Amino acid sequence: MSADPIHTLADLDTWSFAGTALAVLGHPIKHSVSPPMHNAALAEMAKRDARFASWKYFRFDIAPDDLPVALEKLHARNFHGINLTVPHKIIAFDRVAVVDPAARPIGAVNTLRRTPAGWHGYNTDGYGLATAIHETLDRQLTGAHILLLGAGGAARGAAVECLQRGCASLTIVNRTQANLDALLAQLAPLAGASLITGTTFAPNPPAGALIINATSAGLKPTDPLPVDLAALQRPAAVFDMIYNPPETPLLAQARSLGIPSANGLGMLVHQGARALEIWSDAAVPVDAMRTAVHSAMKAHA
Ligand code: NDP
């Protein structure tokens, strides 16, 4: 049996793990590197604090229709923490007992912590994004002119984070007008001092902008560029949320133009580290998580 078997809803009826259980729920879940990432962190944490020796992170393939019953069963089985990935982040938002105030404008949760009364929902994706951009590109969202590509779930979280951190301006470009309009309407109350604009055409952000790709264009080698960097005034840096493949066509173009760039691996690691902090109330070994992700991705390649 694999070290990280894929569990199903039915397994919860006979669940017998005696330690502190954590889990990621997704559909599909086969490619998630969260179990090795979190279990590596827990092994490291157990060296300093024996209570973590009995913690374990599992993965479950749960169809969207089954999510409400899965959350009930996981609560009844005393699971301590849950991560949610595609397509569950938005569905779960209305299914938790309490939503962290910072997650409310996003309308999606990716981290749940058990309370006796039900699940407390958080969203750690924005923290992961901001921390990774600072770590890999030495850039802050605060005060930045940002060109955000995409208007899906990841873009919504990124946009809220940019606005909450006080970006100077936010330009959103998206292929489908209706999805762009819906996102702009949701963001309007949060704009504060930041200027928000949206377009489905070639964007024109100021020179020195930070570009964030939150589209799925780049997952396949044949995907079109989500924006042509050569047609823009020179950006300061490009962050692509995609981490597999490690270099998308957008990142390859940034490299060929000499523009600093980074993929989404740091975001994955830091959103996970923040989730583990929420569950454990302890310091989390980020380097062990990063090393585990690199190994897991090599094994998947
Ligand atoms: P959604 O399906 O919600 O949104 C997809 C977005 O991509 C939409 O804006 C869509 O535009 C756009 N898009 C899709 N294909 C193309 C294309 N060929 N050309 C231009 N635009 C396109 O996905 P998510 O928001 O959940 O995820 C987006 C990306 O972010 C994924 O690649 C995901 O892996 C990554 N991600 C990474 C994370 C990390 O930790 N590093 C965390 C979360 C997400 P339209 O509205 O026109 O359909």
Side-chain angles (χ1 to χ4, degrees):
M1 191 190 275
S2 133
D4 286 314
I6 297 178
H7 295 285
T8 64
L9 187 60
D11 292 334
L12 288 171
D13 292 333
T14 52
W15 194 255
S16 61
F17 181 68
T20 298
L22 307 168
V24 58
L25 317 186
H27 186 70
I29 198 64
K30 195 165 72 157
H31 296 292
S32 172
V33 292
S34 291
M37 178 172 80
H38 282 281
N39 285 322
L42 291 168
E44 202 57 35
M45 290 162 78
K47 292 179 190 165
R48 300 190 307 263
D49 185 339
R51 106 187 129 107
F52 294 115
S54 65
W55 287 44
K56 190 165 180 203
Y57 189 104
F58 300 89
R59 59 177 170 168
F60 282 77
D61 194 323
I62 300 290
D65 287 349
D66 289 337
L67 183 68
V69 65
L71 290 179
E72 277 172 27
K73 287 189 179 194
L74 289 159
H75 193 268
R77 292 286 178 192
N78 267 331
F79 275 67
H80 177 63
I82 304 293
N83 271 151
L84 300 159
T85 186
V86 174
H88 296 317
K89 295 182 193 184
I90 295 171
I91 312 170
F93 183 82
D94 292 323
R95 297 277 168 181
V96 296
V98 182
V99 176
D100 187 56
R104 280 184 207 141
I106 305 169
V109 286
N110 75 333
T111 299
L112 311 184
R113 180 176 165 147
R114 188 178 195 286
T115 73
W119 295 109
H120 188 141
Y122 302 82
N123 196 314
T124 67
D125 281 338
Y127 167 86
L129 173 71
T131 307
I133 285 175
H134 180 57
E135 181 182 75
T136 55
L137 297 170
D138 199 18
R139 297 269 151 195
Q140 306 278 358
L141 299 180
T142 308
H145 292 287
I146 292 168
L147 175 61
L148 177 63
L149 313 174
R156 179 160 53 172
V160 169
E161 192 71 20
C162 292
L163 294 171
Q164 286 177 337
R165 289 184 185 246
C167 63
S169 69
L170 178 62
T171 305
I172 304 176
V173 56
N174 193 55
R175 183 178 60 171
T176 305
Q177 181 80 54
N179 296 341
L180 175 65
D181 290 345
L183 179 58
L184 290 172
Q186 283 168 346
L187 295 176
L190 293 178
S194 308
L195 179 70
I196 312 182
T197 49
T199 178
T200 54
F201 302 108
N204 186 23
L210 172 62
I211 298 183
I212 300 173
N213 180 33
T215 75
S216 36
L219 286 173
K220 293 188 278 219
T222 50
D223 282 343
L225 282 172
V227 74
D228 181 5
L229 299 173
L232 303 178
Q233 301 192 72
R234 190 175 177 81
V238 176
F239 186 87
D240 197 328
M241 286 196 192
I242 295 172
Y243 54 86
N244 197 8
E247 187 177 78
T248 59
L250 181 70
L251 291 177
Q253 191 190 29
R255 184 165 50 82
S256 76
L257 294 170
I259 301 167
S261 61
N263 71 21
L265 204 128
M267 177 176 173
L268 174 79
V269 169
H270 285 290
Q271 63 76 29
R274 181 78 195 105
L276 192 48
E277 275 172 12
I278 288 170
W279 297 323
S280 66
D281 299 314
V284 164
V286 175
D287 286 343
M289 298 177 87
R290 198 188 329 269
T291 304
V293 167
H294 278 292
S295 307
M297 284 182 55
K298 272 195 202 133
H300 280 187

